[in-house]
Amino acid sequence: MSLHIEILISTMFKEDLSFLEPMFQHNDINDFDIIIVNQTTEDKFLTSENSKIKVINSLERGSPASRNLAIQNATKDICLMSDDDIVYQSNLLKTIEMAYANCPEASMISFEAIDEDGQLYTNYYPEGEHTKETLKRIYTWVITFRRSVFKEEQIYFNHYFGVGSVFKGVTEYVFLRNAYDKGLLMHHAAETIVMHPNESSGRRMGGDNAIYARAAMHQRFYGNLSYLWLVKYIFFLVRHRFIAFKEIIYKFSVGIKGIKMYKMLKSQGKIDELHEY
């Protein structure tokens, strides 16, 4: 029996479905059910007349809100997280079905992405069962999971980690660690399913948002060892010329602020709240 795959797309301010055409240029879009969460304003609603494409217009902001709204409205066997600027590679449906057939006990399977030059998007770990470390190489748009398991375990994106949130980064890792820490079997398949446009990893890593979010994330999972991590990370950024030597003190202060903000949200009992969207 074949699995029903549901693709959960987060987007903003769309008024027609033409953006789907390049995404599915190598696949038959009718092979999939699709949920589109369109974060927008009241004067720019998106509609769909295709019964397999469900549109949810939301006035909320932030990637966690968008992705959680999609997860909450999903109904099929396997969910595939997605953005609106990617291109799926050929045989997407078969690749996902085969991965779950080969690893039927897996609650989550990650895949791989290439960039615009056809190179692997990141240096993935070998195929196999995930660890806390291997999850750090996984971006949202290669994540699939069994909807029923994640729903039962109440696994959603953390409201405070993600674009448009307090901590603007490490979205995927916090989400996946939530599943990992609940003991779910999580597997990586060395199969390419998507092309994602190139981005400057150096600029991301040395940016204020990245330092702020990563420091908060380390406080979440490693407690006050986050301070030691922050020192090592700042000097890593300097050594690889992602930031200038003269920026050390400022960038360190950014990380300290991230740690303090996380501690405050935790002390207020807010950090793991499930928000209604």
Side-chain angles (χ1 to χ4, degrees):
M1 183 177 177
S2 63
L3 295 171
H4 289 99
I5 313 296
E6 195 161 32
I7 300 179
L8 313 183
I9 303 175
S10 294
T11 190
M12 297 184 76
F13 304 116
K14 292 292 189 291
E15 296 183 72
D16 63 63
L17 298 176
S18 60
F19 73 94
L20 294 174
E21 294 173 11
M23 291 179 64
F24 291 91
Q25 60 187 278
H26 304 306
N27 291 273
D28 184 350
I29 194 171
N30 295 309
D31 285 342
F32 308 95
D33 287 88
I34 297 173
I35 292 179
I36 300 170
V37 174
N38 182 46
Q39 292 188 333
T40 187
T41 54
E42 291 182 350
D43 60 329
K44 291 186 178 179
F45 272 26
L46 178 66
T47 60
S48 168
E49 296 181 1
N50 186 329
S51 61
K52 297 196 72 174
I53 302 176
K54 181 178 182 178
V55 172
I56 303 170
N57 290 289
S58 173
L59 303 181
E60 294 274 354
R61 292 291 180 268
S63 64
S66 178
R67 300 196 191 285
N68 286 342
L69 186 57
I71 293 171
Q72 288 168 355
N73 283 273
T75 59
K76 306 307 177 185
D77 303 318
I78 303 295
C79 293
L80 167 60
M81 305 306 302
S82 179
D83 285 337
D84 61 6
D85 59 348
I86 59 180
V87 178
Y88 287 116
Q89 303 302 283
S90 300
N91 299 314
L92 176 64
L93 178 63
K94 183 181 294 186
T95 300
I96 296 174
E97 286 182 336
M98 285 297 296
Y100 278 92
N102 292 334
C103 194
E105 301 302 315
S107 297
M108 171 271 183
I109 297 179
S110 61
F111 294 89
E112 299 185 352
I114 55 173
D115 61 21
E116 292 167 293
D117 300 318
Q119 302 300 311
L120 284 178
Y121 193 83
T122 189
N123 184 22
Y124 294 101
Y125 285 95
E127 182 166 296
E129 191 171 337
H130 271 297
T131 66
K132 295 175 184 178
E133 192 64 28
T134 64
L135 290 173
K136 293 179 179 179
R137 303 278 174 89
I138 304 304
Y139 292 93
T140 304
W141 11 269
V142 296
I143 295 172
T144 69
F145 57 87
R146 292 188 185 276
R147 180 192 58 82
S148 60
V149 177
F150 272 52
K151 182 178 180 181
E152 181 181 337
E153 296 291 342
Q154 289 283 287
I155 297 168
Y156 294 99
F157 284 83
N158 189 289
H159 181 76
Y160 292 98
F161 287 89
V163 176
S165 301
V166 175
F167 307 112
K168 299 173 175 61
V170 294
T171 318
E172 304 93 336
Y173 187 72
V174 176
F175 173 67
L176 294 173
R177 270 295 298 268
N178 187 10
Y180 182 89
D181 290 344
K182 291 184 177 182
L184 300 188
L185 177 59
M186 306 171 73
H187 185 81
H188 180 66
E191 298 283 348
T192 301
I193 64 168
V194 67
M195 185 282 291
H196 190 281
N198 298 330
E199 292 182 27
S200 171
S201 60
R203 187 163 59 247
R204 272 204 317 272
M205 291 173 69
D208 289 2
N209 287 340
I211 295 170
Y212 189 81
R214 290 183 182 208
M217 181 268 283
H218 279 79
Q219 175 64 33
R220 177 181 180 85
F221 294 117
Y222 305 107
N224 287 334
L225 287 175
S226 57
Y227 294 102
L228 176 60
W229 169 86
L230 180 59
V231 172
K232 294 172 63 177
Y233 187 62
I234 294 299
F235 282 100
F236 165 83
L237 294 175
V238 172
R239 189 166 64 251
H240 292 274
R241 299 182 180 179
F242 295 142
I243 64 173
F245 188 83
K246 64 182 180 181
E247 295 180 282
I248 288 177
I249 294 176
Y250 168 70
K251 294 293 186 178
F252 184 79
S253 71
V254 170
I256 292 294
K257 289 177 183 176
I259 292 171
K260 286 183 177 179
M261 176 59 75
Y262 183 88
K263 283 185 168 183
M264 185 185 77
L265 290 170
K266 183 178 180 180
S267 69
Q268 294 173 347
K270 294 180 179 180
I271 195 65
D272 288 315
E273 284 180 345
L274 284 178
H275 288 247
E276 294 295 329
Y277 299 105

